[in-house]
């Protein structure tokens, strides 16, 4: 509709995204031809999900006031995180089942959710990352106390998912934010949000300590070891269909438990390079416009370090999680990408374009 009305503005990701979608569809038809796809409907559904995520990015890019758009997006994400945290507190103190995995009662694994501990854990880590730079932007004591209380509750819920990849993502993202901001206040807040659940919930500390031994355990005791063994099997599929893969949607995402492995298996080397091209253009564009965006002084500039932390953390978590195709993660991430790209084009007064 925007294109027909003459208001559609071309963004830097338009061509890379179009190329990837073409390759993804080509891999799907190649999979149908080679009989590696047994459910075309599921394949089209996966391709449609990809299109939806990129469409959110494109629509966000059309906004004339991206700073306000990011503020609304953060408000929505923070409200959703608070609702999840409230449910998490209730479930933590009123367990819904007597099933304990490794003596850890993980949140969001039972109805009304199902096996969402890792996914919601990453989402909560994203919200905490976006909230962290706001401790420099807010000035009123009441606002700071309210923000800190909300973040602390969200942090407890994230830790009670017992998702080790979420712990790593939050710590990495916080570290990047503190490094870019270079402010002691953020370091202290980040340490409080990360360490308070460890001190007050001993089982969380045990779970964090298990990260050191996870690779030395067998596949029945360590999910990470099980994933690595599965990748050895999947590597054979890559060898048989190296260019376009087995086709997008060839297997259920739960089979892979790795976005990068799924991407390589289902879209081949061509599709993987096309997707990396999207991320490279995204990162390159924002890096070239970094000073312009940083000096804008609006809401978008405040969250720039948080975006960098989230971006790098998701690249890492993609090794053991299908993060870029999970709606709770991908939808807000790509929407944020569109707003950030649009905000980076605004030239504040006194800043040279050259």
């Amino acid at each position: 509709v925007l294109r027909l009305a003459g208001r559609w503005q071309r963004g830097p990701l338009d061509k890379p995204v179009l190329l990837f979608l073409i390759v993804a569809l080509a891999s799907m038809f190649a999979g149908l031809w080679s009989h590696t796809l047994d459910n075309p409907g599921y394949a089209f559904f996966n391709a449609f999900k990809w299109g939806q995520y990129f469409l959110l990015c494109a629509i966000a890019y059309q906004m004339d006031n991206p700073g306000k758009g990011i503020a609304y997006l953060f408000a929505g994400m923070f409200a959703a995180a608070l609702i999840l945290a409230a449910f998490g507190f209730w479930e933590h103190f009123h367990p819904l089942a007597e099933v304990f995995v490794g003596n850890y009662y993980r949140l969001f694994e039972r109805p009304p959710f199902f096996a969402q501990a890792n996914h919601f854990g990453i989402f909560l880590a994203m919200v905490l990352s976006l909230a962290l730079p706001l401790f420099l932007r807010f000035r009123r004591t009441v606002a700071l106390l309210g923000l800190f209380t909300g973040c602390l509750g969200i942090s407890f819920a994230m830790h009670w998912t017992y998702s080790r990849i979420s712990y790593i993502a939050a710590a990495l993202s916080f570290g990047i934010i503190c490094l870019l901001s270079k402010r002691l206040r953020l370091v202290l807040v980040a340490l409080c949000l990360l360490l308070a659940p460890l001190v007050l919930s001993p089982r969380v500390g045990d779970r964090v300590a298990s990260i050191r031994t996870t690779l030395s355990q067998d596949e029945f005791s360590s999910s990470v070891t099980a994933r690595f063994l599965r990748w050895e099997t999947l590597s054979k599929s890559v060898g048989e269909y190296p260019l376009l893969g087995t086709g997008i949607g060839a297997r259920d995402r739960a089979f892979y438990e790795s976005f990068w492995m799924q991407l390589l298996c289902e879209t081949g080397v061509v599709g993987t390079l096309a997707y990396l091209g999207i991320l490279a253009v995204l990162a390159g564009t924002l890096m070239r416009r970094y000073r312009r965006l940083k000096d804008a002084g609006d809401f978008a500039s405040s969250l720039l370090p948080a975006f960098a932390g989230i971006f790098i953390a998701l690249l890492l978590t993609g090794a053991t999680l299908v993060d870029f195709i999970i709606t709770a993660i991908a939808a807000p991430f790509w929407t944020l990408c569109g707003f950030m790209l649009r905000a980076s084009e605004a030239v504040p007064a006194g800043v040279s374009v050259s």
Side-chain angles (χ1 to χ4, degrees):
V1 173
L2 290 173
R3 184 67 180 270
L4 293 175
R7 294 191 58 191
W8 186 267
Q9 302 187 51
R10 296 177 181 269
L13 296 185
D14 287 3
K15 291 182 179 179
V17 165
L18 181 60
L19 175 62
F20 172 76
L21 292 177
I22 291 174
V23 173
L25 291 174
S27 74
M28 185 170 61
F29 287 113
L32 292 172
W33 178 265
S34 60
H35 303 289
T36 55
L37 275 177
D38 57 359
N39 190 342
Y42 183 71
F44 277 103
F45 173 75
N46 277 269
F48 183 70
K49 284 186 67 175
W50 279 111
Q52 283 184 313
Y53 298 147
F54 293 132
L55 182 60
L56 288 173
C57 178
I59 292 175
Y61 185 79
Q62 307 306 311
M63 288 199 63
D64 295 329
N65 191 339
K68 182 179 292 186
I70 293 178
Y72 285 136
L73 175 64
F74 170 75
M77 292 177 65
F78 196 76
L82 288 176
I83 293 173
L84 284 175
F87 178 85
F89 270 82
W90 179 83
E91 185 182 3
H92 180 76
F93 292 105
H94 301 85
L96 298 176
E98 295 299 327
V99 179
F100 295 83
V101 180
N103 294 325
Y104 302 108
Y105 183 90
R106 306 187 69 184
L107 299 183
F108 315 124
E109 289 287 284
R110 285 152 289 275
F113 310 106
F114 178 74
Q116 296 294 323
N118 287 330
H119 305 155
F120 284 169
I122 294 295
F123 171 75
L124 295 177
M126 291 173 61
V127 174
L128 290 174
S129 297
L130 290 173
L132 187 59
L134 298 184
F135 284 95
L136 296 179
R137 186 175 180 86
F138 290 176
R139 292 289 183 264
R140 294 184 178 180
T141 304
V142 175
L144 289 172
L145 287 176
L147 180 64
F148 181 77
T149 302
C151 287
L152 194 60
I154 294 171
S155 180
F156 269 96
M158 182 197 73
H159 281 79
W160 285 337
T161 63
Y162 293 103
S163 170
R164 290 175 293 198
I165 193 64
S166 299
Y167 302 162
I168 295 173
L172 177 61
S173 182
F174 281 12
I176 293 172
I177 294 170
C178 293
L179 183 64
L180 293 177
S181 301
K182 299 178 181 179
R183 298 293 294 272
L184 179 61
R185 180 190 296 183
L186 291 191
V187 176
L188 295 177
V189 173
L191 289 176
C192 287
L193 295 178
L194 290 176
L195 297 182
L198 300 182
V199 176
L200 300 177
S201 297
R203 298 299 294 153
V204 173
D206 295 340
R207 184 64 168 171
V208 172
S210 70
I211 295 176
R212 296 182 293 105
T213 60
T214 185
L215 295 179
S216 62
Q217 298 172 339
D218 58 57
E219 65 272 24
F220 300 105
S221 304
S222 171
S223 58
V224 177
T225 303
R227 288 186 178 97
F228 287 156
L229 293 176
R230 188 174 298 175
W231 295 352
E232 294 180 6
T233 302
L234 291 172
S235 63
K236 299 178 182 178
S237 175
V238 177
E240 294 178 4
Y241 306 96
L243 291 180
L244 293 175
T246 57
I248 187 171
R251 294 187 179 96
D252 186 85
R253 59 174 176 78
F255 182 82
Y256 300 96
E257 287 298 341
S258 168
F259 170 76
W260 300 114
M261 182 57 70
Q262 180 177 6
L263 186 67
L264 184 59
C265 286
E266 294 190 348
T267 65
V269 175
V270 178
T272 302
L273 291 177
Y275 191 84
L276 289 175
I278 297 174
L279 299 181
V281 171
L282 171 64
T285 301
L286 291 179
M287 287 178 65
R288 289 195 304 272
R289 302 172 180 175
Y290 176 79
R291 184 188 171 195
R292 186 185 307 179
L293 181 57
K294 182 181 178 181
D295 294 343
D298 59 0
F299 199 82
S301 63
S302 300
L303 299 188
L304 182 59
F307 178 80
I310 291 172
F311 180 76
I312 295 175
L314 289 183
L315 293 179
L316 174 66
T317 59
T320 60
L321 193 69
V322 284
D323 49 9
F324 280 108
I325 61 174
I326 298 299
T327 301
I329 301 172
F333 172 75
W334 285 110
T335 305
L336 183 62
C337 288
F339 284 135
M340 281 294 180
L341 287 171
R342 182 65 174 165
S344 69
E345 295 185 347
V347 184
V351 177
S352 175
V353 180
S354 58

